[in-house]
Amino acid sequence: MESQKKTSQSANKTPASENDEEEDCCANTSCEKNEKQKPSSPKQGDFSDPVYKEIAVANGAINRMNRDELRVKCAELKLDTRGVKDVLRKRLKSYYKKQKLMHSAAANGNTDTYFDYICVVDFEATCEENNPPDYLHEIIEFPMVLIDIHTLEIVDSFQEYVKPVVNPQLSEFCVKLTGITQKMVDEAETFHQVLKRAVSWLQEKELGTKYKYTFLTDGSWDMGKFLHTQCKLSSIRYPQFARKWINIRKSYRNFYKVPRTQTKLICMLENLGMQYDGRPHCGLDDSRNIARIAIHMLKDGSQLRVNECLHSGEPRSVPISAPIEGAPAPQTPKKRD
C-alpha cells in the first residue's frame, strides 16, 4: 500500500464532514482536551525513585558499547541480535528499563497491559500511476492481521477483496502494483457487505467485549483517507471502532529515534534485521510484515500506544497524556441518513 499512498499525496484530501458529530474521534471531548493519564508506580516524572538511577547507570554502559558488544550482550540476555546499532542499543535499554520498572510495578500490584490484541490493517485501493487531484480511491482489498499481545504472535487473519463502484475498471498500474486482477474485484462483494463480514470476524474474537484491543496502521492514510473516503462513497457511517489507531511509523520513529525517512516499511524491516516476506503491496502480506515490526517493537520494550484519531474527517495526533483506551466493540455498519 505504501506506493499507493505515495502516488496519492498530490490528491486533494476528502472534505471534512459538515460538523457531523459522528466524525469526532471522541464522544464528548477532542483529543487535545483529554485528561492526563493517571501515573503508575513508580510515579511518572518522579525521577528521584532509586530505580531511575539504576536505569541511568545501565544506559551509560550501553552507550559505550560498540555494535559487536551490543550483540554479545543481547545474546547473553536471549534477546534478538539482529538490527543496526541504534536498534540494538534501544533494545538493551528498553530491556533493562522494562525489567526494573516491572519489578517495581509488581511490588505495587500494577501489572496490567494496555491491550490484549492489536489488529493490523493495510488497505489496498484503486489508483492511477498519476492520480488526478479529484481522484477517489476505493478500497479493493480489506485485510486484517491479529496480534496476541500476551504471546507476541500473529494468531489469525482476515482478507476479502472489494468491488469498486466509482472506478469499476482497474488501471493497468493498479493491477501491476497490487497483483489484484479485474476478475478478483468483479467477483467480489461491495464494501458494505465486506465491512459487515469484517465486523462479524472481529465480534467472533470477542474484541471490545471480553478483550481489549486497538488498530494499527502503516501511516495515517488507511483510516484517515481510504476508510473515511470509502465510507462516504458507500453512504456508511464511519465505524466507531476505527476512530483511533496506532500509526506505527510515528511509534517507530519516536521509539528508535530515527528520521522520518527511515520509517518506510522496507526500511523499518531492514533496520530490525528482517526482510520483507511475501509480495509487496498485497494488503495481507503488507499487514503481516507490519505486524512483524510491531511484535519486534513490543519485544524491544515499546508500549505501542494509540497516537492518532479521526476528528472532523481529518487524522490528528493523540497526545501521550491522553488516557489509554481500547477500541469499542465493533457494531454492524449503519447507513448514513
Side-chain angles (χ1 to χ4, degrees):
M1 193 57 192
E2 190 168 340
S3 180
Q4 279 175 280
K5 295 170 186 174
K6 185 176 181 181
T7 58
S8 303
Q9 295 300 320
S10 60
N12 291 335
K13 294 183 178 179
T14 303
S17 62
E18 293 75 13
N19 297 320
D20 287 346
E21 182 178 343
E22 66 175 1
E23 298 299 337
D24 290 343
C25 66
C26 309
N28 299 314
T29 59
S30 68
C31 289
E32 291 81 354
K33 296 180 180 179
N34 280 327
E35 296 177 359
K36 292 184 178 181
Q37 177 193 355
K38 294 180 180 179
S40 58
S41 179
K43 292 181 179 180
Q44 295 176 359
D46 182 14
F47 297 111
S48 62
D49 191 293
V51 70
Y52 288 106
K53 183 176 181 180
E54 298 174 18
I55 293 171
V57 170
N59 287 347
I62 291 169
N63 285 335
R64 293 188 290 272
M65 294 182 183
N66 59 36
R67 186 170 184 268
D68 289 338
E69 290 171 332
L70 292 168
R71 292 184 66 186
V72 169
K73 180 57 67 175
C74 284
E76 288 177 3
L77 298 172
K78 297 182 178 180
L79 301 175
D80 195 336
T81 59
R82 295 174 295 176
V84 296
K85 184 178 178 179
D86 288 343
V87 166
L88 294 171
R89 183 184 289 127
K90 183 65 176 181
R91 183 171 296 148
L92 277 174
K93 288 182 178 180
S94 296
Y95 171 82
Y96 284 115
K97 181 177 180 180
K98 183 178 180 181
Q99 292 299 311
K100 294 180 183 300
L101 292 182
M102 281 180 60
H103 178 76
S104 178
N108 290 276
N110 182 13
T111 58
D112 288 345
T113 56
Y114 292 162
F115 308 110
D116 297 303
Y117 293 95
I118 289 178
C119 190
V120 180
V121 176
D122 193 79
F123 298 118
E124 297 300 321
T126 56
C127 57
E128 303 285 348
E129 187 167 6
N130 296 297
N131 297 310
D134 58 347
Y135 187 86
L136 295 175
H137 298 276
E138 296 176 85
I139 292 174
I140 54 175
E141 184 185 357
F142 195 135
M144 293 187 287
V145 170
L146 196 63
I147 301 172
D148 186 324
I149 296 300
H150 304 287
T151 64
L152 295 181
E153 295 178 339
I154 294 174
V155 292
D156 208 347
S157 62
F158 171 94
Q159 181 198 41
E160 284 205 27
Y161 297 109
V162 184
K163 181 195 294 288
V165 177
V166 177
N167 295 296
Q169 187 69 35
L170 301 182
S171 68
E172 182 179 346
F173 173 79
C174 185
V175 172
K176 184 177 180 180
L177 177 71
T178 66
I180 299 173
T181 66
Q182 189 64 45
K183 185 174 185 291
M184 289 176 179
V185 296
D186 286 343
E187 295 177 351
E189 298 280 1
T190 62
F191 178 76
H192 191 193
Q193 295 302 315
V194 173
L195 180 58
K196 279 185 179 180
R197 283 196 285 274
V199 166
S200 295
W201 185 82
L202 294 168
Q203 291 173 336
E204 289 171 4
K205 308 298 179 187
E206 299 182 275
L207 302 180
T209 51
K210 184 177 181 180
Y211 302 107
K212 294 180 294 183
Y213 79 111
T214 192
F215 284 89
L216 182 148
T217 64
D218 178 28
S220 304
W221 277 58
D222 290 279
M223 301 302 195
K225 176 69 174 180
F226 298 124
L227 184 58
H228 183 255
T229 298
Q230 185 63 62
C231 286
K232 283 182 172 291
L233 292 174
S234 301
S235 298
I236 298 172
R237 292 188 178 185
Y238 190 92
Q240 290 282 346
F241 62 82
R243 295 193 184 285
K244 296 182 181 181
W245 61 90
I246 300 167
N247 177 344
I248 197 168
R249 294 194 184 197
K250 283 186 177 180
S251 300
Y252 184 94
R253 185 171 74 248
N254 293 333
F255 185 67
Y256 294 115
K257 308 301 181 186
V258 298
R260 189 185 300 270
T261 55
Q262 294 296 310
T263 60
K264 294 180 180 179
L265 179 55
I266 297 298
C267 288
M268 290 190 288
L269 286 167
E270 290 178 349
N271 285 342
L272 292 172
M274 297 186 289
Q275 293 183 336
Y276 189 95
D277 185 13
R279 185 194 189 284
H281 310 302
C282 162
L284 185 58
D285 286 348
D286 280 355
S287 298
R288 284 174 175 155
N289 282 280
I290 295 164
R292 292 170 64 208
I293 294 170
I295 289 171
H296 264 259
M297 291 184 65
L298 290 166
K299 288 180 178 178
D300 282 352
S302 174
Q303 296 175 332
L304 287 182
R305 294 174 56 112
V306 168
N307 54 20
E308 287 189 340
C309 72
L310 190 73
H311 186 79
S312 297
E314 298 290 341
R316 291 189 183 179
S317 294
V318 173
I320 194 170
S321 60
I324 300 168
E325 299 175 330
Q331 302 293 326
T332 302
K334 298 178 181 179
K335 284 284 188 178
R336 282 178 172 270
D337 296 333

